[in-house]
Structure formats: structure tokens, C-alpha cells
């Protein structure tokens, strides 16, 4: 599970992974499996929230804690996950993270009582933290500049499959058997994916081990905030996942109730629109690499805003179409911003990735839980207006990033010359 310590990236450009090579396919298959495991384990409880409300006698906002506690702890823990991987190796940290997380989800299916479930879901946020930020760092270190957009997009496609699969499995099995059966199946898939990741991911060739030095770590974190663009990208991450998770947290409540009265299994099948994300993330990431991230990012927020508006209409087809539009925009936006963070961060890639994902998952935790208050007070229309406000804020920030001056030095894919 150990990484190979090798010279820095600038000293071995010939060993950077490029698309179209067997090593690129192997690396992306490994990270695709990791994405399936991570997001299946994380989001498998989302379609079960109405069931938790029924079984444990809790309201929508309290039921949402089954996800919000996980993502809140995950956000804070990822601030340190990059530093741990600096000291102990990228692949080692990611493998331990995946294996321990799969075991916790298996235990979640067996624990009795609401409190026990929340405790295990909280611990899951801690163990999962070793994968997302470190995976972004690994890609930024090991992929060639002309391949990182596609590589990040393919990794996020795995996230989409995992997020869809985890929700779909638990949503459907909860209707035919019991929600615990669904969670057990998701945990088993996560365990198999973790073992696949361990076997396939190539060792690092551009990783330089750095001991854990708290003062130096704080200095690297502080340096990230001196960049003119990175803090705004962190806010974009908060808004992207905050809006997206809030849609999926509460759309089930609406569709199970009149006038739709859909079954739990049918609501679970709606999560299959996540397949849109597997295309959106790779396609938008590649498009941004050719046309420039600043020229493409705003379209993803505009699409999310339009999709939220569609969910406020009565026809079921339009509601589902709105969820599809939000899903497409979210995965495209996340692919663009996450790769942009890695390219702009320079030598502080691990810290910038950690801060981006801290903001990203805090969006899930805070907005995902806060949406329940809007749902309780104003129903779905209240939730939709809350989500729309986040998408509009993201659109305005994307316009600001459009005018961001590129970093000095030779241009790289996705970087345009300074605007007049």
C-alpha cells in the first residue's frame, strides 16, 4: 500500500500519466472504483430519510442528520487528510480510508437505535476523509497537464456511479425487503471496490514525503488564501454541493406525498439520473480543458438554476427533468472547479484540495440540514427558493472568476491570456 518516493514532478516529466496510455486506463479504473465506494457509502442513506422519519419518529431536518453529520465531520477531517498523506503516502492513506469506511457501513446495518446509527455515521465522516482530498492531490501530481481535466472528470464519473448506486440499491431494497438489507449490500460493494483500488492504483512517482510539522502546515494553508482565485473557488464548491444535496435530500418527501404518491422503490429509481453525471463530469471537464474553465463554469450554474425552477412546476416529467438539469450542472461544475483548484495551487496542492473539499462538504452539511427547515415551514417551494439562491450566488461568482487573471508563466490547458 506504500507510495514510491521519487523526485518532484518537475524532475520527471516523462513519467507523468497521459490519456490514451495503459497506465492512464489503470489509474482511472482504480479511481473510478474508489469513487464508487466513497460516494455509495456516503450517500446510501439519502433515499432512506423518509423511512428514518417513519421508523424512528423524527422530522425531516432530524432525519437529514444521518447525512449531515457525516459530511460535517468529513469536511473538518479533510483539512488534515492531505497532511497525513504528505507524511505516510497517498495510496496508503486512501486504501486504509476505503477499507475502514466499508466496514463501518456494514456495522451501520446491524446497529439498533437512532443514536447508534448517528454515531456510526459520524465516524464514517472521519474515515472517509482520507480519500477525496488525497485523490485530487494524486491526480494533480501524477497526471500530465493535458490529461488532468479528463482524469478528474473520469474520477468524478465514478463518484456519480457510486452516488447513484448507493441511493438506488438502498431505495429499491428498502421497498422490497428492509433498509438494512440495502445498507449491507452497499457496504459489501464498498469493500470489493476498496480491494480493487488497492490492486490497481499505480504507485506515486512525483510524491515527496513531508513530515508532519504543524507550523509549516499552517503556513501552507495561509498561503492558499493569498491567491486571488482559490478562495472564490472554495465558495463555489460550498454552493455546488450544498444546492445539489438539498435537492436530493427533500425531493423524496415531495414525490412520496400527494399528488404523486410514488412508492419508495420508484423514488429510488429516480436516482438513476445520476448516470447523467458520469457523462457531464467527463465531457464538461474535457470541454473546459479546451475552451478554458472560466468560459464554461458559468453555464453549469445557469443550468442548475433553470433545473431548480422546473422542479417547482406540477407535472412529474418536468420535476424529473429539473432534477436531471441540476445533476448535469452540478457534476460539470464540480469537475471544472476541482481541477482548476489543483492547477492553480502550485506546491500547496494537498492543502488547496483539502480546503476546497472542506467548503464542498460543509455545503452538504449546512445547506443539506438547513433545507429541512425550509421544507418544514414552506414545503418544496421553500426548499427550491433556497436552492435557487445558492445557484444564483454561484453564477455571480463564476462571472467574477471569468475575469480572474491567470497565474504568471507559460499557459496550460484551460488557461487563457489576460483579458483586456
Amino acid at each position: 500500500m506504500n507510495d514510491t518516493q521519487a523526485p518532484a514532478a518537475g524532475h520527471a516529466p516523462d513519467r507523468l500519466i497521459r490519456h490514451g496510455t495503459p497506465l492512464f486506463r489503470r489509474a482511472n479504473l482504480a479511481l473510478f472504483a474508489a469513487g464508487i465506494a466513497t460516494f455509495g457509502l456516503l450517500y446510501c442513506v439519502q433515499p432512506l430519510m423518509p423511512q428514518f422519519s417513519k421508523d424512528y419518529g423524527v422530522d425531516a431536518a432530524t432525519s437529514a442528520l444521518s447525512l449531515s453529520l457525516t459530511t460535517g465531520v468529513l469536511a473538518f477531517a479533510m483539512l488534515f487528510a492531505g497532511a497525513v498523506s504528505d507524511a505516510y503516502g497517498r495510496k496508503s492513506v486512501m486504501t486504509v480510508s476505503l477499507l475502514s469506511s466499508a466496514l463501518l457501513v456494514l456495522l451501520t446495518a446491524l446497529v439498533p437505535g437512532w443514536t447508534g446509527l448517528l454515531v456510526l455515521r459520524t465516524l464514517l465522516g472521519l474515515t472517509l476523509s482520507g480519500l477525496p482530498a488525497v485523490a485530487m492531490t494524486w491526480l494533480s501530481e501524477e497526471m500530465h497537464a493535458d490529461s488532468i481535466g479528463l482524469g478528474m472528470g473520469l474520477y468524478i464519473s465514478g463518484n456519480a456511479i457510486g452516488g447513484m448506486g448507493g441511493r438506488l440499491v438502498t431505495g429499491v431494497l428498502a421497498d422490497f425487503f428492509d433498509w438494512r438489507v440495502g445498507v449491507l449490500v452497499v457496504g459489501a460493494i464498498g469493500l470489493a471496490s476498496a480491494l480493487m483500488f488497492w490492486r490497481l492504483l499505480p504507485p506515486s512517482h512525483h510524491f515527496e514525503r513531508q513530515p508532519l510539522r504543524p507550523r509549516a502546515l499552517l503556513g501552507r494553508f495561509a498561503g492558499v488564501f493569498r491567491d486571488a482565485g482559490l478562495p472564490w473557488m472554495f465558495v463555489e464548491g460550498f454552493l455546488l454541493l450544498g444546492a445539489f444535496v438539498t435537492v436530493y435530500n427533500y425531493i423524496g418527501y415531495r414525490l412520496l406525498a400527494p399528488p404523486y404518491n410514488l412508492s419508495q422503490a420508484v423514488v429510488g429509481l429516480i436516482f438513476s439520473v445520476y448516470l447523467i453525471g458520469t457523462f457531464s463530469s467527463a465531457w464538461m471537464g474535457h470541454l473546459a480543458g479546451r475552451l478554458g474553465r472560466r468560459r464554461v463554469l458559468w453555464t453549469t450554474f445557469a443550468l442548475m438554476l433553470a433545473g431548480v425552477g422546473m422542479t417547482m412546476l406540477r407535472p412529474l416529467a418536468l420535476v424529473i427533468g429539473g432534477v436531471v438539469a441540476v445533476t448535469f450542472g452540478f457534476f460539470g461544475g464540480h469537475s471544472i472547479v476541482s481541477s482548476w483548484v489543483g492547477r492553480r495551487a502550485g506546491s500547496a496542492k494537498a492543502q488547496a484540495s483539502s480546503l476546497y473539499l472542506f467548503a464542498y462538504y460543509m455545503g452538504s452539511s449546512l445547506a443539506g440540514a438547513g433545507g429541512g427547515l425550509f421544507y418544514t415551514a414552506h414545503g418544496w417551494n421553500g426548499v427550491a427558493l433556497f436552492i435557487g439562491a445558492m445557484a444564483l450566488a454561484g453564477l455571480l461568482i463564476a462571472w467574477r472568476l471569468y475575469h480572474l487573471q491567470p497565474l504568471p508563466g507559460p499557459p496550460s490547458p484551460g488557461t487563457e491570456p489576460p483579458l483586456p
Side-chain angles (χ1 to χ4, degrees):
M1 291 194 297
N2 292 329
D3 291 271
T4 301
Q5 187 169 351
H11 298 158
D14 56 310
R15 305 195 76 173
L16 288 168
I17 300 172
R18 304 189 75 152
H19 64 273
T21 64
L23 201 58
F24 181 86
R25 290 188 288 272
R26 179 180 162 188
N28 276 284
L29 186 58
L31 289 167
F32 189 83
I36 288 176
T38 302
F39 287 82
L41 299 172
L42 178 59
Y43 288 112
C44 65
V45 297
Q46 200 169 39
L48 303 177
M49 289 176 187
Q51 189 68 42
F52 292 158
S53 293
K54 179 180 177 181
D55 288 357
Y56 297 108
V58 297
D59 61 20
T62 304
S63 182
L65 290 175
S66 59
L67 179 60
S68 294
L69 284 174
T70 311
T71 53
V73 171
L74 177 63
F76 279 100
M78 281 194 300
L79 290 174
F80 309 100
V84 173
S85 74
D86 283 344
Y88 297 105
R90 313 290 188 218
K91 185 174 180 179
S92 300
V93 169
M94 289 190 285
T95 303
V96 170
S97 170
L98 287 174
L99 289 171
S100 57
S101 297
L103 294 174
L104 276 176
V105 170
L106 291 171
L107 288 174
T108 302
L110 306 176
V111 67
W114 180 241
T115 301
L117 186 148
L118 291 183
V119 168
L120 288 175
R121 291 292 301 178
T122 301
L123 290 174
L124 180 66
L126 183 64
T127 58
L128 274 178
S129 66
L131 192 285
V134 180
M136 284 179 63
T137 305
W138 190 93
L139 279 161
S140 296
E141 288 176 342
E142 303 299 324
M143 291 283 176
H144 193 276
D146 65 7
S147 302
I148 187 173
L150 180 59
M152 191 74 75
L154 291 171
Y155 163 61
I156 294 173
S157 295
N159 299 351
I161 293 289
M164 180 202 71
R167 292 167 168 97
L168 191 61
V169 167
T170 54
V172 173
L173 292 182
D175 210 32
F176 291 100
F177 301 99
D178 181 79
W179 67 263
R180 296 179 186 275
V181 174
V183 173
L184 275 173
V185 171
V186 170
I189 293 171
L191 190 60
S193 298
L195 293 173
M196 181 178 175
F197 170 84
W198 171 52
R199 295 285 304 203
L200 286 178
L201 190 74
S204 299
H205 290 296
H206 302 91
F207 167 70
E208 288 189 317
R209 195 176 305 277
Q210 301 178 36
L212 288 170
R213 295 189 180 124
R215 182 174 296 180
L217 177 61
L218 287 173
R220 289 195 295 272
F221 273 121
V224 168
F225 285 98
R226 288 193 286 270
D227 182 82
L230 286 172
W232 291 109
M233 295 176 197
F234 303 156
V235 177
E236 292 288 65
F238 179 96
L239 296 168
L240 279 165
L241 193 60
F244 179 71
V245 164
T246 305
V247 168
Y248 278 92
N249 273 6
Y250 303 104
I251 196 69
Y253 285 93
R254 184 184 187 199
L255 297 178
L256 290 167
Y260 308 108
N261 295 310
L262 300 182
S263 69
Q264 181 68 59
V266 173
V267 171
L269 287 172
I270 289 173
F271 289 103
S272 63
V273 302
Y274 255 59
L275 287 172
I276 296 293
T278 66
F279 167 75
S280 169
S281 57
W283 184 72
M284 294 292 280
H286 187 59
L287 186 67
R290 290 195 301 110
L291 302 181
R293 296 174 180 89
R294 70 190 69 224
R295 289 179 177 152
V296 179
L297 177 60
W298 71 270
T299 65
T300 65
F301 283 99
L303 188 59
M304 291 180 73
L305 190 59
V308 171
M310 290 173 64
T311 67
M312 299 176 72
L313 304 175
R314 186 181 178 92
L316 180 61
L318 291 178
V319 173
I320 295 174
V323 173
V324 169
V326 170
T327 303
F328 191 101
F330 162 72
F331 279 104
H334 177 43
S335 176
I336 292 167
V337 180
S338 57
S339 64
W340 201 351
V341 167
R343 291 292 299 158
R344 194 166 178 95
S347 61
K349 286 183 174 63
Q351 288 68 46
S353 296
S354 295
L355 286 166
Y356 171 74
L357 289 169
F358 168 77
Y360 182 75
Y361 286 107
M362 284 305 293
S364 172
S365 182
L366 296 179
L373 302 178
F374 284 88
Y375 185 83
T376 300
H378 306 289
W380 177 257
N381 284 346
V383 176
L385 289 173
F386 174 59
I387 298 164
M390 287 189 284
L392 180 60
L395 182 60
L396 294 174
I397 294 171
W399 178 248
R400 182 185 180 93
L401 289 172
Y402 181 86
H403 295 90
L404 177 68
Q405 291 286 73
L407 293 173
S412 60
T415 301
E416 301 83 18
L419 296 167

